[in-house]
Amino acid sequence: MTTVPRPAAELSADEARRIALRAQGFLGAPDRRAGVRGVLRSLGQVQLDTISVLARSHELIPYARLGAVGRPAVEDAYWTGAHAFEYWSHAACVLPIEEWPHFAFRRRAYRGRPQWHHELSAGAYDKVIDQLRDEGPRTATELGGAKNKGEWWDWSDAKIAVERALMYGEVVVVERRGWKRVYDLAERAVPQALLHDDLDDTECVRRLVRQAGEALGVGTRADIADYHRIKGEQFDAVVEAAGLVPVTVAGWGKPAWADPAALATEPRGRHRTTLLSPFDSLIWERPRTERIFGFTHRLEAYVPKQKRVHGYFAMPVLAGGRLVGRVDPAREGRTLVARQVTLDGPKAVPAVAAALREAAEWVGCDAVSVVPERVSHPELTPELVRALA
């Protein structure tokens, strides 16, 4: 690990928490004029996931920051006008199109990759490229089918080929139709000014470390490197050139770095009260969430039902800059049902109720109900029901 220079600042745990909240768009007035695309540019990426409860995660993330922005407007912001593309960052993510050159290092790594989970039949790759060139943008189904007749991971030759081309950067996704990726040739879909792999690996990583530091406000080596899944030694090599400054944070026990702009002014303003997707970049890394909020959260969607503690898709509730509880939501007709509610004491009741009411309105529900026997503090159930009425 690199030797850490003398810290530029010493931050209290509370100061670090507020810096992180502001950087992630939860403290201060949201930039509604910039809208969803502004959120995407500020965060640098929005994670995608197939799970849809109230909405899919890529919809929940701008909603959490902007409030009840129309869901069609969210989709249009991502998938029209080639403003964004999909690629592998923290996971499968939507990324601002201007970041295309900075992922050249990852495209090169994929091109040199010796092992793949799926074998590629001879001629399949060229066939898909030729088909896209001749026929224009296509879904996997339109290219010949996404799967064979076996299990879900049994991809067709066309699907294997086009996903390989996507990782190489010869193909890009700048559009979805009904949650299906629409593949196109990068040479046609990516603006010409951005369509290059000119930046070397060091410059790509330097830019992404800087962007991650700005999006997080303050973070440890692991926090910042994990944002775009960069290796620790890559972080070490560029952090000084990236312009982040070393800081110490009380109680963290590890060296940290901060965006200099985040240190220049005191974080202040209005806090958002909202439900958070488990895939939100504010909380997606469990050690960071525990360190900043003293809150342990685990996505239990893939945990056997009988072993779940908080529910299938428990969403933490953010209020006053704290995580004050969690809700496992579902929709039944026009009712948002809180199948399970965990409250951090009586003070959490108004915040949880407010978050549920706003979310219900956003997804077109006109009522909210709770399952009384699934409220963590049964004595608070009547108060919660009244607050929801």
Side-chain angles (χ1 to χ4, degrees), residues 31-218:
D31 187 354
R32 299 190 186 283
R33 184 170 296 179
V36 176
R37 288 174 183 163
V39 170
L40 178 60
R41 286 192 299 272
S42 177
L43 297 180
Q45 60 177 319
V46 167
Q47 185 171 340
L48 292 158
D49 194 80
T50 57
I51 296 174
S52 180
V53 178
L54 293 181
R56 295 194 190 274
S57 190
H58 69 279
E59 298 173 280
L60 292 167
I61 289 166
Y63 159 74
R65 290 154 176 83
L66 299 173
V69 58
R71 293 176 67 185
V74 175
E75 297 296 331
D76 286 348
Y78 292 138
W79 313 127
T80 61
H83 286 276
F85 71 106
E86 289 187 36
Y87 204 59
W88 295 99
S89 175
H90 183 80
C93 292
V94 187
L95 298 147
I97 194 66
E98 55 265 31
E99 297 297 340
W100 174 272
H102 305 118
F103 282 84
F105 83 106
R106 188 153 289 160
R107 293 191 289 270
R108 285 190 286 265
Y110 283 135
R111 290 171 201 151
R113 187 173 178 174
Q115 301 293 331
W116 295 90
H117 294 300
H118 297 89
E119 293 296 325
L120 188 59
S121 300
Y125 188 96
D126 291 340
K127 180 181 178 181
V128 159
I129 297 300
D130 290 343
Q131 191 174 352
L132 289 173
R133 181 167 285 114
D134 294 341
E135 300 176 8
R138 289 290 182 268
T139 66
T141 300
E142 293 167 338
L143 287 169
K147 294 184 289 186
N148 294 320
K149 295 181 180 179
E151 303 292 344
W152 67 268
W153 60 84
D154 186 18
W155 285 359
S156 68
D157 283 348
K159 176 67 172 176
I160 295 170
V162 78
E163 287 291 329
R164 190 82 57 91
L166 180 70
M167 297 170 88
Y168 290 170
E170 193 167 0
V171 161
V172 68
V173 171
V174 296
E175 177 189 358
R176 280 196 178 229
R177 297 179 196 150
W179 192 239
K180 289 185 176 181
R181 283 176 166 174
V182 179
Y183 302 91
D184 197 3
L185 298 179
E187 65 191 41
R188 189 162 52 204
V190 177
Q192 286 299 310
L194 301 173
L195 186 65
H196 63 80
D197 282 1
D198 296 348
L199 302 180
D200 63 23
D201 287 11
T202 298
E203 179 57 21
C204 290
V205 173
R206 184 203 65 78
R207 158 61 193 169
L208 293 180
V209 165
R210 174 70 187 213
Q211 191 281 317
E214 292 171 349
L216 293 173
V218 59

Side-chain angles (χ1 to χ4, degrees), residues 247-258:
V247 297
T248 59
V249 180
W252 280 23
K254 295 181 178 180
W257 284 262

Side-chain angles (χ1 to χ4, degrees), residues 16 19-20 23-24 212-219 244 257-260 262-263 288:
I19 286 171
Q24 282 282 300
E214 292 171 349
L216 293 173
V218 59
L244 303 182
W257 284 262
D259 171 20
L263 301 176
R288 177 176 171 85

